[in-house]
Amino acid sequence: MLELNSSNLCIACAAALLGGLWCAKYVFGSRRRLPVPPGPPGHWFFGNQLPKSRAPFKFAELTEEYGPVFSLRQGPRLFVVIGRHQAAMEIMEKEGASLADRPRSIAAAETLSGGMRVVVEGSGDRLRRLRRALHARLQSKVAGTYEPIQVRNAKNVLLDILDDPKNHQMHVKRYAASMIMSITYGKNTPTAYSDPEVVAVNRCLTRFGQVIRPGSYQVDTYPILKYVPGYLSTLRKWHEEELALFEGQLDVVRQQMVEGTAKPCFAKFILEHQKEYSLADKELAYVAGAMFGAGSDTTASAITITMMAAALHREAQTKVQEELDTVIGRDKLPSFDDQEMLPQVTAFMLESMRWRPVSIGGFGHRATKDIIWKDYIIPKGATVIGNHWAIANDPEVFPNPQKFDPQRWFDAEGKIRDDLRFCTYGFGRRICPGQHVANRSIFINTALVLWAFRLSENPAAPIDSFAFSDTANMHAAPFQLVFEPRASEEEIRRLCSDEE
Ligand code: HEM
């Protein structure tokens, strides 16, 4: 990040003055009749210091202190954080139409992503077109057509674990990268996580992750800084690099279409329907790139969390395995067709996603009009965040929330409850369009891994179930697992090499 020096002090002063005016607007001007939700006191001008690390946990503490909805101010920006399930439903879902926007992000959205990355795109016509294109290929019915790709890759996870159990986290990352590359670009060879293409995409993602972190670029609080010469030049260079990468990936499919060798995939679909969705070439490249960006590491993280949960909660694991043994037996592998009959597997994955939510802090939405909630106002322009971690630990909805208890997802008749939902995939109009693909990935990997192996901790290397990266989508730090095959190795290998 650029240090402020004397030559741009004037601009900084102007920024401060402008910030002050905005501040005054929040503090005195627009208080209207209702107050904003309560929150910790802050500096009259700078407001509150946003946590520099582990924000979802610190926000959860503030929820305990200030209630289900609290607010923080940083310079001119107001943040409203929701930490309870009911409030999240009342605000994020019921007021979804007023919260479809994203907070303005000059650094990550406008500069690094050139205004084309769907996850940080503001509401409006372009977002609608992008989401329509994604929905066309990710909605539940279409997601079902990817099941053979998911089964093939999930079987490879079992084989990889047999060959090299130590690298279980890498195998799952390979699963997710390979599956997304197939769906997006029609690549049907297993993609190694060390593929140069995957490495290059991941480099872009790491950069994006760094830039999007609140507070990493002051320009998002004081927009005038964008006129400071050189301030955003690195981000512009990175944008050119990622655009070239995404365009290159799309060009391969374009060429295959000319040669008649293109496989059915998202890239082919959007190229064929470019006019219908009115997407420019660069937008096409980015929306295909978004599939990998949003869907690869998130999926891998969620699968790894189910494996960690199994090793740490052996009773819960046994319940799933008893169900697998009764319903599936030992002569075949579980498949998607069996899901209805495997509610324990479903409950186990639902509880894993609640226990350690991948998108732990939730993503910011921007209010496009004043929202009244109880006796408070969430003013137009505020950034509203549903804190997944705090909501996951709401004791009213998830009693004894620290306990890993898949049985909480069952109703009295032993069916998966349809009145209970956790916000794994976010909220309202910005809900994750990849959720149907993701759920299928988590289901098939959980079912196959628990069918094939008994998972446990290595007593010499206990698992720290809180050792995760401090990033928007969190990843478990490396940890050891012991995989004890539940069938003979030959049998697992034979069943994994059977064609579907
Ligand atoms: C377990 C895996 C996944 C998790 C936990 C996850 C979670 C999320 C969350 C929390 C959001 C933001 C929602 C909000 O703003 O409230 C999101 C957005 C998004 N996800 Fe996922 N996701 C997963 C897998 C996927 C997959 C597999 C794909 C694509 C194939 C995908 C594509 C997207 C896209 C494109 C967005 C941006 C949507 C927008 O901003 O309008 N995700 N995801």
Side-chain angles (χ1 to χ4, degrees):
M1 213 187 353
L2 187 92
E3 295 282 324
L4 286 183
N5 56 37
S6 54
S7 71
N8 50 39
L9 199 62
C10 294
I11 297 177
C13 287
L17 187 68
L18 221 77
L21 291 174
W22 269 94
C23 230
K25 183 180 154 222
Y26 270 121
V27 177
F28 309 111
S30 69
R31 278 290 133 107
R32 299 167 188 114
R33 295 166 305 278
L34 295 172
V36 299
H43 184 272
W44 69 272
F45 179 75
F46 295 110
N48 306 95
Q49 272 239 307
L50 290 190
K52 288 217 173 349
S53 62
R54 297 171 59 82
F57 296 96
K58 291 179 183 153
F59 285 167
E61 285 164 19
L62 291 176
T63 295
E64 297 292 333
E65 204 175 333
Y66 292 97
V69 182
F70 68 86
S71 59
L72 294 168
R73 189 173 56 76
Q74 190 190 39
R77 298 175 70 189
L78 187 75
F79 292 82
V80 173
V81 183
I82 302 169
R84 288 291 174 255
H85 195 275
Q86 193 186 341
M89 293 301 127
E90 289 167 359
I91 298 170
M92 304 300 287
E93 295 293 346
K94 284 202 190 124
E95 302 286 348
S98 311
L99 287 168
D101 204 8
R102 292 282 191 218
R104 184 176 181 202
S105 147
I106 294 172
E110 294 172 22
T111 314
L112 176 61
S113 314
M116 287 178 288
R117 201 178 230 111
V118 59
V119 70
V120 282
E121 176 74 23
S123 58
D125 182 51
R126 175 146 66 179
L127 178 70
R128 260 192 303 279
R129 286 182 281 121
L130 292 170
R131 284 202 59 118
R132 269 185 59 221
L134 285 165
H135 179 72
R137 302 311 298 158
L138 294 175
Q139 58 175 297
S140 186
K141 235 180 167 174
V142 180
T145 64
Y146 306 138
E147 287 176 357
I149 298 173
Q150 292 171 306
V151 170
R152 195 170 58 238
N153 282 289
K155 284 179 177 175
N156 282 342
V157 171
L158 299 192
L159 296 173
D160 288 345
I161 291 174
L162 283 175
D163 290 339
D164 177 17
K166 269 203 184 116
N167 277 319
H168 61 93
Q169 284 164 278
M170 189 49 75
H171 306 325
V172 169
K173 283 184 173 187
R174 201 264 324 133
Y175 163 87
S178 174
M179 182 269 306
I180 290 280
M181 282 296 188
S182 295
I183 292 175
T184 310
Y185 300 109
K187 292 185 86 177
N188 66 358
T189 48
T191 313
Y193 206 66
S194 53
D195 262 13
E197 189 181 3
V198 173
V199 171
V201 179
N202 277 328
R203 188 184 315 120
C204 297
L205 285 178
T206 307
R207 289 170 176 171
F208 176 70
Q210 285 161 0
V211 178
I212 193 76
R213 276 169 78 116
S216 68
Y217 272 78
Q218 287 299 316
V219 66
D220 289 329
T221 305
Y222 305 107
I224 202 165
L225 289 176
K226 84 176 193 180
Y227 300 108
V228 175
Y231 180 71
L232 294 170
S233 55
T234 306
L235 297 188
R236 288 198 186 98
K237 190 174 129 258
W238 287 353
H239 167 64
E240 291 307 325
E241 270 177 46
E242 62 179 31
L243 178 61
L245 177 67
F246 297 153
E247 284 184 326
Q249 290 175 308
L250 203 62
D251 278 344
V252 172
V253 178
R254 225 182 237 117
Q255 185 57 32
Q256 289 168 344
M257 285 167 69
V258 172
E259 292 160 2
T261 57
K263 306 241 161 35
C265 61
F266 180 71
K268 180 167 181 275
F269 173 84
I270 51 174
L271 284 165
E272 284 166 349
H273 294 78
Q274 182 166 13
K275 279 215 179 95
E276 186 184 329
Y277 296 111
S278 321
L279 292 169
D281 284 356
K282 287 182 182 180
E283 290 171 330
L284 288 190
Y286 255 93
V287 73
M291 298 266 282
F292 190 96
S296 176
D297 269 10
T298 42
T299 300
S301 175
I303 297 169
T304 285
I305 288 170
T306 62
M307 288 165 55
M308 180 191 275
L312 289 175
H313 306 98
R314 309 257 294 166
E315 259 178 52
Q317 183 186 172
T318 303
K319 251 193 148 59
V320 175
Q321 284 160 342
E322 282 169 358
E323 180 183 77
L324 286 167
D325 292 347
T326 312
V327 176
I328 308 296
R330 309 306 305 158
D331 301 331
K332 73 175 197 87
L333 294 175
S335 74
F336 282 108
D337 294 341
D338 304 315
Q339 182 159 16
E340 286 279 296
M341 279 143 20
L342 295 172
Q344 286 292 346
V345 177
T346 304
F348 191 93
M349 64 180 254
L350 289 171
E351 181 66 348
S352 300
M353 291 194 269
R354 182 201 70 84
W355 177 65
R356 295 290 179 266
V358 173
S359 307
I360 181 161
F363 287 82
H365 295 223
R366 180 179 169 275
T368 44
K369 63 179 207 207
D370 290 350
I371 295 170
I372 310 296
W373 180 77
K374 300 209 185 283
D375 292 331
Y376 300 109
I377 184 167
I378 299 170
K380 175 178 172 181
T383 297
V384 184
I385 302 169
N387 179 8
H388 293 200
W389 174 248
I391 296 167
N393 284 284
D394 181 342
E396 278 191 22
V397 183
F398 304 110
N400 199 0
Q402 289 82 25
K403 184 167 180 219
F404 181 87
D405 179 13
Q407 306 316 309
R408 68 171 86 242
W409 294 93
F410 287 100
D411 64 18
E413 280 142 39
K415 294 210 169 76
I416 295 290
R417 285 173 63 176
D418 54 15
D419 62 329
L420 187 60
R421 141 173 145 68
F422 174 63
C423 54
T424 314
Y425 297 109
F427 303 98
R429 301 206 177 168
R430 298 310 288 254
I431 196 158
C432 172
Q435 59 178 314
H436 307 293
V437 173
N439 276 335
R440 283 172 164 82
S441 281
I442 304 166
F443 167 77
I444 199 65
N445 279 279
T446 307
L448 286 182
V449 167
L450 295 187
W451 181 94
F453 302 104
R454 178 89 186 143
L455 273 57
S456 56
E457 253 181 311
N458 173 358
I463 297 169
D464 176 354
S465 79
F466 278 99
F468 279 83
S469 63
D470 187 13
T471 42
N473 292 311
M474 64 176 195
H475 301 280
F479 64 98
Q480 289 189 27
L481 285 176
V482 178
F483 293 90
E484 185 192 327
R486 300 178 67 243
S488 73
E489 220 184 289
E490 296 70 45
E491 189 62 0
I492 298 175
R493 285 187 195 281
R494 185 184 66 76
L495 290 171
C496 285
S497 42
D498 276 357
E499 284 302 313
E500 272 300 282

